Amino acid sequence: MTITFLMDIFGSSNKFSYSGEIILDGLEVAHEKSKVARALLPAMMVLSWLTIPLLGKKSIKRFLPASILMAIVVWLEGKWARKRKWWWYYVKVHPKLSGGFPLTWGPFLIGSIWILRFTFGKFKWYLLLNLAVDTVFTYKFVDMLKDLGIASLVRLKKY
């Protein structure tokens, strides 16, 4: 669809045209990203939960309470961050749930159990592994979330 404007400048008429297809193409790309984002968040949650049987019953009983406590702290931090506009989620899995819900109660919770399992009794290794995971999240994963239109930092910087 082309909209044509005629302008008279100094007695001459110049024809300018604008194609609305460009805008439609941009909206289609944004819509596709939204579909990917809506599918990616639950998939990340489900895939992380599928690793639970690999942990073993003893590890789950030992590390689940600490991991739940960590997830609750991160969830509360997310609530506070939304009020202070530190970061923003553009995609929601459910109208009543934040976009951070699948990340907190999926990969973060299960990842915490895995980290605790591998580093139990080795505090230096825990600090190093946690630092490595947080670095990857901050410098790689946040960019991926922004590119997919899922979330972005608003009042926080990466460093």
Side-chain angles (χ1 to χ4, degrees):
M1 174 173 110
T2 302
I3 301 171
T4 306
F5 296 101
L6 295 174
M7 294 180 57
D8 289 328
I9 300 174
F10 301 113
S12 67
S13 85
N14 294 327
K15 187 175 182 180
F16 294 95
S17 66
Y18 167 74
S19 174
E21 294 169 6
I22 296 170
I23 292 176
L24 292 176
D25 289 342
L27 288 175
E28 288 174 12
V29 169
H31 184 65
E32 290 299 319
K33 280 186 177 180
S34 177
K35 281 183 179 179
V36 169
R38 287 180 192 261
L40 182 66
L41 288 174
M44 287 172 41
M45 187 173 181
V46 169
L47 287 174
S48 61
W49 275 93
L50 289 176
T51 66
I52 286 285
L54 302 174
L55 284 165
K57 199 173 195 176
K58 183 179 175 185
S59 293
I60 294 169
K61 286 174 92 175
R62 176 183 262 176
F63 302 119
L64 186 62
S67 296
I68 289 174
L69 178 64
M70 287 189 262
I72 289 171
V73 169
V74 168
W75 177 69
L76 291 172
E77 178 190 27
K79 292 262 190 203
W80 194 30
R82 186 170 42 185
K83 286 182 184 178
R84 300 191 48 98
K85 295 182 181 156
W86 289 346
W87 57 79
W88 193 255
Y89 288 98
Y90 302 109
V91 177
K92 291 183 175 184
V93 178
H94 187 274
K96 293 185 180 184
L97 298 176
S98 161
F101 181 85
L103 294 174
T104 302
W105 297 103
F108 181 80
L109 177 69
I110 306 305
S112 297
I113 296 172
W114 279 101
I115 289 172
L116 290 172
R117 179 177 182 245
F118 286 128
T119 61
F120 182 72
K122 305 169 201 153
F123 187 67
K124 288 180 184 177
W125 284 108
Y126 171 77
L127 288 179
L128 287 173
L129 184 58
N130 212 12
L131 178 67
V133 169
D134 290 345
T135 301
V136 169
F137 178 79
T138 302
Y139 292 103
K140 298 293 181 192
F141 194 67
V142 169
D143 289 338
M144 184 186 80
L145 291 176
K146 186 176 181 181
D147 290 343
L148 289 172
I150 295 173
S152 66
L153 298 176
V154 178
R155 290 188 180 174
L156 283 183
K157 296 186 185 228
K158 288 184 181 182
Y159 49 89

